[in-house]
Every structure is written in structure tokens, then in C-alpha cells.
Amino acid sequence: MIILITGASHSGKTLLAQRMLEKYKYPYICIDHIKMGLIRSGNTELTPEDDDELTVYLWPIVCEMIKTAIENDQNLIVEGCYIPFDWRKDFDDEYILSIRFICLALSDAYIDAHFDDIRNHASDIESRIDDSYLRIDMMKETNRAYIEGFKKSGEMITLIEDDYEKVISDLLKDKR
């Protein structure tokens, strides 16, 4: 089983991946780690701010890693924001059957009510160097883009509207 987790920045992808790692004991790959390894090693001229270009650059690599894990009957959690809305086009049906897709998104109301909590918990799993750029309007815009983009591609969205912990707990109960 491959668990593919995506969503906007600060939506809880890394926390969910970490909890799934702890519960299921599946290996976990963070696409941000691949990104930074390629950037820091000089294997790309892209920078951490080149989000759209990074998706185009990283997704083919991640896609083939997922296929290899499926072919080897291995479980894997893959987490990151560099997953294109039309990701399914890169997999034949036999691969799709082995992938559980999760897109976390925060509603505008949730962001309004919990913005300080979101900022305060941003480094619970990973150390964020600088979150001073984070603004409510930006968070709403990026979450809406994920919701609209993945819905347009026919994907289900896990929308967090009020109780974040309940949503995460429910996702951990559903192994498929």
C-alpha cells in the first residue's frame, strides 16, 4: 500500500505522515527532503521558492519511486505538496489500486479560527526556519487552490472545518 499525502503548506501533511508511520510502521518519504537534497547538492538550479517548477521536476522521480515500491510489494508513505492535480495519469490501473490518496485542506473558517494554533504548531514535527511570511490570506488562497485543483481532477478532499484532531484520527482508522 502506498499512502500519498498532499495539501497546502501548514495543512498537517507531515503530522499525518508521522502518525501513520508510528501506527502502521510504513516507511515514510518526505518530498521536501528530496527537494532539499537536490538543491543543496547542486543537482538543480531551482530554489525552494520555485514551487511550480519543483512539482514538474520532482514528480517524475517520486512517481517512479512509488511504482518501484508497488512492484516490490512494499508499503510506503509519501508526503509533500509537489504532487500534481492530475497525478493519476502517470499510473496504470494496477498501480492506482495500491495507492491511497489523501489531500488535506483547511477551510477559510478553520484558518480564521485557528491561525495562531497553526503557526504555533508549525514546528511540531519538523523545524521550520522562518514562518514570518505566513499570512491568513495566503493560507486561504493556497488551500483554495488545492481544493479547486484536486476537485477539478475528480479527487476527494479531506476538508478540515472545525476539529483537526478528529479528522486526523478518522484518517488513521481508515487503512484503505
Side-chain angles (χ1 to χ4, degrees), residues 96-160:
I96 294 292
L97 293 173
S98 297
I99 300 173
R100 176 182 177 198
F101 175 79
I102 300 169
C103 178
L104 293 178
L106 307 174
S107 71
D108 285 357
Y110 185 87
I111 294 168
D112 284 335
H114 299 280
F115 184 71
D116 288 338
D117 293 332
I118 293 166
R119 286 187 75 136
N120 291 336
H121 290 283
S123 291
D124 282 359
I125 303 297
E126 59 186 346
S127 296
R128 293 186 181 263
I129 297 169
D130 181 17
D131 264 354
S132 60
Y133 66 91
L134 190 63
R135 298 181 330 268
I136 288 177
D137 61 325
M138 182 186 76
M139 280 198 74
K140 289 179 181 180
E141 182 181 326
T142 56
N143 274 275
R144 280 188 221 123
Y146 273 81
I147 292 166
E148 292 167 13
F150 280 112
K151 276 189 176 180
K152 194 178 208 180
S153 291
E155 297 295 344
M156 296 291 296
I157 308 298
T158 301
L159 186 62
I160 300 167

Side-chain angles (χ1 to χ4, degrees), residues 40 54 67 73 93 110 120 151 169-170:
R40 287 180 169 178
L54 282 164
K67 288 177 184 176
D73 200 26
D93 289 343
Y110 185 87
N120 291 336
K151 276 189 176 180
S169 177
D170 289 347

Side-chain angles (χ1 to χ4, degrees), residues 29-100:
I29 294 174
C30 175
I31 301 173
D32 274 343
H33 294 172
I34 298 169
K35 168 188 80 176
M36 292 310 297
L38 290 165
I39 290 171
R40 287 180 169 178
S41 67
N43 282 298
T44 181
E45 296 294 319
L46 296 171
T47 70
E49 288 78 36
D50 296 325
D51 285 339
D52 292 337
E53 296 90 343
L54 282 164
T55 299
V56 171
Y57 186 74
L58 293 168
W59 178 245
I61 297 165
V62 172
C63 180
E64 295 307 319
M65 292 170 69
I66 291 169
K67 288 177 184 176
T68 300
I70 292 169
E71 290 163 358
N72 287 301
D73 200 26
Q74 295 172 308
N75 299 314
L76 184 64
I77 300 164
V78 179
E79 172 267 321
C81 59
Y82 304 105
I83 298 170
F85 299 136
D86 63 348
W87 67 272
R88 287 182 187 267
K89 73 173 177 38
D90 296 315
F91 296 97
D92 293 336
D93 289 343
E94 74 236 26
Y95 291 110
I96 294 292
L97 293 173
S98 297
I99 300 173
R100 176 182 177 198

